[in-house]
Amino acid sequence: MLWSALTLQLGYNATLVTIGATLLGIAAGVTGTFLYLRKRALVSDAISHATLPGVGLAFILMVLLGGDGRSLPGLLLGAAISSWMGLLCVNWLTRHTRLSEDAAIGAVLSVFFGFGIVLLTVIQSLGSGRAAGLEGFLLGATAGMLFNEALVIAVGGALTLVAVMILRRPMTLLAFDPEYAAARGINVARMDLAIMALALAVTVIGLKIVGLILIVAMLIIPPVSARFWTDRTDHMVLVSGLCGGVASWIGAAVSASAPALPTGPIIVLTSFALFVLSLLLAPRRGVLAAVIRHRRFQRRVHLRQGLLALAQGQPIYEAYTMRLLLRSGLAHADGVPTDAGKARAAKALRDETRWQMVRQDQAFESAAALYDGLRDIETVLTPDQIQEIDRRMGGPKEVTL
């Protein structure tokens, strides 16, 4: 059944939800990248919580006008207006008061969210059956999603993605160097608002699928996951969008194959699973890669110290060092070096003496800064420089073993 959901063969409604969620996930991942790089991740939290009063007020207004209070375009429009007001409040408090941005965000999201909860309580007390399911905007609700609602989400996600692609260059400049962006003629304040507006768009269109509480995870987790895989901004945008899209696709499919599971939380958990995989398996920044690098470094240190001990006729007490020498064919079980071990030990000892002379000579100050006890001297000095050092040292001396 899960395979049928993944291949869009589980029914019309499940297909709509999966496609809409995937487009939303891609847009959220791409947009969230610039929030993350701009160090404005918490702003998305304020935006999401500020949508709730707009949903409540839009419902009340549509009911008073005789319409269907649960019309998704109307509710999303109200959410957009409310969250934009919340965003403007955060910017005003940050610029015109002594409050830091995180304090302003905390104040705005708590006040707006509290007001929204009051409005939902009032709406539920009206006794109108049309209010049923309105609380689904908190955690998302896709079970009864209609075609028009799925179309609004899909089109909104696609348009947001197009807008991000158009503005990606100025937003990248702003994320890394606002002063340089201003020097290039970019209006920093307006571009900041553009980034926030794109985050707002993703938040609003994602209310139906993941809800206002969990949409923050869709904006933050994919770029954090992508950061483990690359150092380049353009690659990070692509990887983040891929993570968001894959998490949404799989999460929506899992939810469709097991109707008792809510779509929004499953999407977030799937995104977190991709984050864990990135944390563990990323080739440069992952935990596994760090462990492998540490083990390789440890092996080089032990092997180097073992060779120096052999060259100076010292006993080797460290069991791991001895195992490395045995495994490399550089020593016998009794600690006596092999012919290859003698040559390697003599080379290691002579290089150590060379490095000592390099560190004592101010003419090699830049080269001496690269000394770490493991680097081959041939990778730092030219053959002529090494010959000059050997001339000062004198000819190689026989190593007593």
Side-chain angles (χ1 to χ4, degrees):
M1 191 172 183
L2 177 59
W3 177 252
S4 298
L6 289 172
T7 55
L8 304 180
Q9 300 177 10
L10 202 58
Y12 182 72
N13 187 68
T15 300
L16 285 178
V17 172
T18 302
I19 294 176
T22 302
L23 289 175
L24 171 66
I26 295 173
V30 172
T31 304
T33 300
F34 297 99
L35 280 177
Y36 171 78
L37 294 176
R38 190 72 175 99
K39 297 180 175 62
R40 306 290 297 276
L42 283 179
V43 176
S44 61
D45 205 11
I47 293 174
S48 64
H49 284 76
T51 59
L52 192 56
V55 172
L57 290 174
F59 176 85
I60 293 174
L61 181 60
M62 286 188 289
V63 170
L64 291 178
L65 293 176
D68 184 3
R70 290 181 298 174
S71 173
L72 185 62
L75 294 176
L76 295 186
L77 178 60
I81 296 174
S82 176
S83 56
W84 184 254
M85 292 177 60
L87 179 59
L88 293 179
C89 287
V90 171
N91 286 338
W92 188 89
L93 289 173
T94 303
R95 293 182 180 181
H96 297 89
T97 69
R98 294 185 177 182
L99 289 178
S100 60
E101 187 176 63
D102 57 345
I105 290 172
V108 170
L109 73 86
S110 58
V111 171
F112 273 72
F113 189 69
F115 182 44
I117 293 296
V118 171
L119 287 176
L120 288 185
T121 303
V122 172
I123 291 172
Q124 294 298 332
S125 66
L126 295 178
S128 173
R130 287 173 295 185
L134 199 61
E135 67 279 358
F137 283 94
L138 293 174
L139 296 175
T142 60
M145 185 178 292
L146 303 176
F147 172 76
N148 291 337
E149 296 176 341
L151 186 62
V152 169
I153 294 172
V155 172
L159 291 178
T160 303
L161 188 60
V162 171
V164 172
M165 291 297 100
I166 293 174
L167 298 174
R168 70 187 186 280
R169 292 189 181 276
M171 288 194 300
T172 301
L173 284 178
L174 179 63
F176 286 101
D177 196 339
E179 289 78 13
Y180 178 69
R184 291 288 302 270
I186 297 174
N187 190 314
V188 174
R190 290 184 180 178
M191 192 54 59
D192 251 337
L193 285 178
I195 295 176
M196 297 302 106
L198 291 171
L200 184 151
V202 171
T203 300
V204 169
I205 62 178
L207 291 178
K208 186 68 175 179
I209 293 180
V210 295
L212 64 90
I213 295 178
L214 297 178
I215 188 61
V216 179
M218 293 297 298
L219 285 165
I220 302 305
I221 297 179
V224 172
S225 303
R227 188 67 181 88
F228 285 103
W229 295 95
T230 180
D231 292 326
R232 295 186 54 179
T233 304
D234 52 348
H235 292 172
M236 183 177 173
V237 170
L238 294 175
V239 175
S240 180
L242 179 63
C243 290
V246 170
S248 299
W249 184 284
I250 296 176
V254 171
S255 176
S257 62
L261 297 177
T263 304
I266 294 299
I267 290 176
V268 172
L269 290 177
T270 305
S271 184
F272 177 72
L274 293 178
F275 165 76
V276 173
L277 289 177
S278 301
L279 174 66
L280 295 176
L281 303 179
R284 292 183 59 188
R285 299 175 181 269
V287 173
L288 182 59
V291 171
I292 293 174
R293 285 196 301 270
H294 176 72
R295 294 287 295 177
R296 288 176 177 173
F297 177 77
Q298 188 181 41
R299 182 180 183 276
R300 291 177 63 195
V301 170
H302 279 264
L303 193 59
R304 177 78 171 183
Q305 294 303 315
L307 289 172
L308 291 175
L310 290 179
Q312 300 172 30
Q314 298 174 352
I316 299 175
Y317 299 104
E318 178 63 45
Y320 181 60
T321 303
M322 196 65 209
R323 286 199 304 271
L324 288 177
L325 293 172
L326 291 173
R327 193 181 306 161
S328 303
L330 301 177
H332 299 291
D334 56 0
V336 177
T338 62
D339 292 338
K342 292 179 182 179
R344 288 279 299 275
K347 174 67 165 56
L349 182 60
R350 186 163 184 80
D351 281 351
E352 190 68 20
T353 306
R354 287 168 170 170
W355 275 117
Q356 290 177 4
M357 294 193 65
V358 167
R359 294 161 65 190
Q360 295 171 1
D361 192 339
Q362 292 185 352
F364 296 105
E365 183 177 359
S366 59
L370 300 175
Y371 174 75
D372 59 2
L374 299 175
R375 187 187 298 268
D376 291 332
I377 197 169
E378 291 83 1
T379 63
V380 178
L381 302 180
T382 64
D384 292 340
Q385 290 174 319
I386 295 176
Q387 288 179 6
E388 173 62 20
I389 293 174
D390 287 344
R391 184 187 64 78
R392 298 181 191 177
M393 291 170 49
K397 299 177 177 60
E398 183 178 354
V399 179
T400 302
L401 297 170

